[in-house]
Amino acid sequence: MKKITVLQGDGVSDEILSSAIKVLDKVSDVFDIKFNYSYAPIGGRAYGIEGHPLPNSTIETCLNSDAVLLGAVGDWKYDTLEPSLRPEKALLGIRKALNLFANLRPVTVFDELLDSSPLKNEIAKDADIMIVRELTGDVYFGEPKGISTKKTLDGRQIKVGYNNMIYDEDEIERIARVAFDAASKRRKKVCLVDKANVLDVSRLFREVTTRVSKEFSDIELSFMYVDNCAMQLVLNPRQFDVILTGNIFGDILSDEASTIAGSLGMLASASMSDGKTPFMYEPIHGSAPDIKGKNIVNPIATILSAAMMLKYSFGQKEACDAIYRAVKEVLKDGYRTKDIFSNGNILCSTDEITDKIIERIYK
Ligand code: IPM
Ligand code: MG
């Protein structure tokens, strides 16, 4: 019996989670694995119920499970709340509470979706990248941070905002290892993306990563500045195997990379700890409150996140592959949600495409 905590957030969260759970139920039947679900609120929903976006009870529920599946959090209606109560804060909080320092964001291009990519087919085709994003450090968590005041030379009081991009050697070492491990199961290349021409923290990142690379003699390590990487991703994405990067650069580059795959609605992610706390799985997209409840959201990113859970938390690679294969078949048969629809396809609702995927899950 595998205990899964389902973190219910905002916007389209319910719809995408219910799709992923239907898929997991089918996997349960086909592969004879039993799942037990506990539900806990997070983000704006939790604020509405408990007055806090990340209640202790939610953290406790997660800690008592084998894996966590998260919808998405955030809604414009919470934009005026003080920063510590905003839904996004809960996401950062749960990542920290579960010590999820390694975020794996695979960018896989389904051939069937090449026409949905704004890139030319021949550029996007066969791109296959694993973004390894550090998730519990960087400007997201660095101290000191805040908004204070200062006096200008001409005597005015003005506000000043600041965050600290900071990594220590231990933090770099452990994320570098994750990247090298990932590369050793792939095409054996790691590209560290940073801003070492300007930032001291990036220079340390290079130094430590180079040191760790000595333990992985069969892996080729290269370096790239983040501005160049942003360009290279759309010029020639096939050059990348594993991209290793810090929290903020990884956030930005993974959204960009999703365009290669055709839609933000396609990209899954796994967030991992040192193994002492459960891993968490979530789509990389947001909560899309504008399309909430319309049954049009693309559930594939969340379904693929559940597939990653099967592989990384439960060691069920076969079941994971069965989901990927089912998604591929559905796309090949022309079924599409609105975000990936092009002429000649069959337009599906969230429920319909979920059912089509479920029908295609077999051993
Ligand atoms: C992501 C998101 C989050 C992040 C936000 C919602 C806090 O953009 O998971 O990529 O910046 O990490
Ligand atoms: Mg992001």
Side-chain angles (χ1 to χ4, degrees):
M1 170 78 78
K2 301 292 181 198
K3 289 199 280 182
I4 301 175
T5 295
V6 180
L7 290 184
Q8 300 175 295
D10 307 309
V12 295
S13 178
D14 285 349
E15 295 159 79
I16 53 180
L17 285 172
S18 104
S19 290
I21 289 168
K22 281 190 222 157
V23 169
L24 284 173
D25 286 343
K26 178 67 184 273
V27 164
S28 170
D29 289 344
V30 174
F31 291 89
D32 199 23
I33 320 166
K34 294 277 163 287
F35 302 119
N36 173 281
Y37 305 104
S38 305
Y39 294 84
I42 191 166
R45 178 192 308 241
Y47 174 77
I49 302 170
E50 313 240 359
H52 195 279
L54 183 58
N56 281 331
S57 54
T58 292
I59 300 178
E60 279 305 310
T61 309
C62 292
L63 286 170
N64 283 321
S65 57
D66 298 310
V68 179
L69 183 66
L70 171 78
V73 297
D75 196 319
W76 304 299
K77 66 178 185 223
Y78 305 112
D79 279 357
T80 49
L81 284 178
E82 66 156 283
S84 67
L85 295 177
R86 297 239 185 105
E88 292 77 9
K89 196 73 187 174
L91 194 51
L92 303 188
I94 192 72
R95 289 171 179 171
K96 201 73 173 176
L98 299 180
N99 191 26
L100 303 170
F101 63 87
N103 185 215
L104 268 51
R105 299 191 158 184
V107 182
T108 336
V109 180
F110 290 93
D111 273 353
E112 295 74 18
L113 284 189
L114 280 174
D115 286 334
S116 305
S117 172
L119 300 185
K120 289 189 189 125
N121 283 5
E122 64 267 28
I123 290 182
K125 190 169 167 36
D126 295 330
D128 177 10
I129 307 170
M130 178 65 87
I131 299 181
V132 176
R133 168 190 178 195
E134 201 289 332
L135 204 59
T136 50
D138 207 333
V139 287
Y140 275 70
F141 295 94
E143 301 278 348
K145 61 176 178 136
I147 300 176
S148 57
T149 53
K150 73 169 194 184
K151 211 167 191 164
T152 61
L153 288 175
D154 58 1
R156 286 173 303 125
Q157 279 279 22
I158 58 168
K159 285 187 186 172
V160 50
Y162 50 96
N163 290 87
N164 189 3
M165 185 178 266
I166 181 165
Y167 275 113
D168 66 34
E169 288 186 85
D170 289 353
E171 289 171 318
I172 302 170
E173 233 183 272
R174 65 182 184 176
I175 192 69
R177 285 223 162 76
V178 172
F180 288 115
D181 274 336
S184 63
K185 295 178 197 115
R186 295 172 47 98
R187 301 192 306 282
K188 310 213 173 341
K189 291 199 299 182
V190 171
C191 180
L192 172 60
V193 172
D194 62 23
K195 191 72 187 171
N197 48 347
V198 177
L199 302 172
D200 300 294
V201 57
S202 291
R203 284 196 279 275
L204 182 66
F205 224 112
R206 280 195 184 200
E207 183 189 314
V208 176
T209 304
T210 305
R211 193 167 74 214
V212 175
S213 75
K214 308 284 188 248
E215 298 164 28
F216 298 84
S217 51
D218 58 332
I219 311 282
E220 178 195 317
L221 172 64
S222 62
F223 305 99
M224 191 179 278
Y225 298 139
V226 62
D227 46 353
N228 185 26
C229 180
M231 182 174 69
Q232 295 297 331
L233 272 173
V234 288
L235 281 181
N236 176 16
R238 272 194 302 272
Q239 70 184 286
F240 297 106
D241 178 16
V242 171
I243 289 180
L244 163 62
T245 192
N247 205 345
I248 186 83
F249 297 153
D251 177 45
I252 298 165
L253 294 175
S254 57
D255 266 33
E256 187 196 1
S258 75
T259 64
I260 309 168
S263 165
L264 203 52
M266 295 296 297
L267 256 60
S269 86
S271 303
M272 299 170 161
S273 66
D274 54 9
K276 296 190 185 113
T277 41
F279 298 175
M280 187 168 86
Y281 301 83
E282 56 175 312
I284 84 156
H285 64 71
S287 56
D290 52 327
I291 58 166
K292 174 191 166 147
K294 295 189 173 159
N295 198 16
I296 58 172
V297 61
N298 183 350
I300 294 179
T302 314
I303 290 172
L304 294 180
S305 299
M308 291 184 84
M309 171 189 293
L310 291 166
K311 180 169 159 185
Y312 292 111
S313 284
F314 305 149
Q316 298 281 349
K317 182 167 184 305
E318 205 194 332
C320 168
D321 291 347
I323 296 179
Y324 269 86
R325 189 186 55 222
V327 168
K328 201 171 163 58
E329 279 179 25
V330 161
L331 297 173
K332 198 158 123 227
D333 293 344
Y335 299 109
R336 302 279 193 283
T337 42
K338 202 172 155 203
D339 56 313
I340 47 176
F341 179 84
S342 37
N343 275 342
N345 293 148
I346 307 150
L347 185 61
C348 287
S349 67
T350 309
D351 288 339
E352 283 162 349
I353 203 152
T354 305
D355 289 341
K356 299 292 175 201
I357 293 169
I358 290 169
E359 282 166 18
R360 288 162 181 76
I361 292 176
Y362 50 85
K363 241 182 177 159

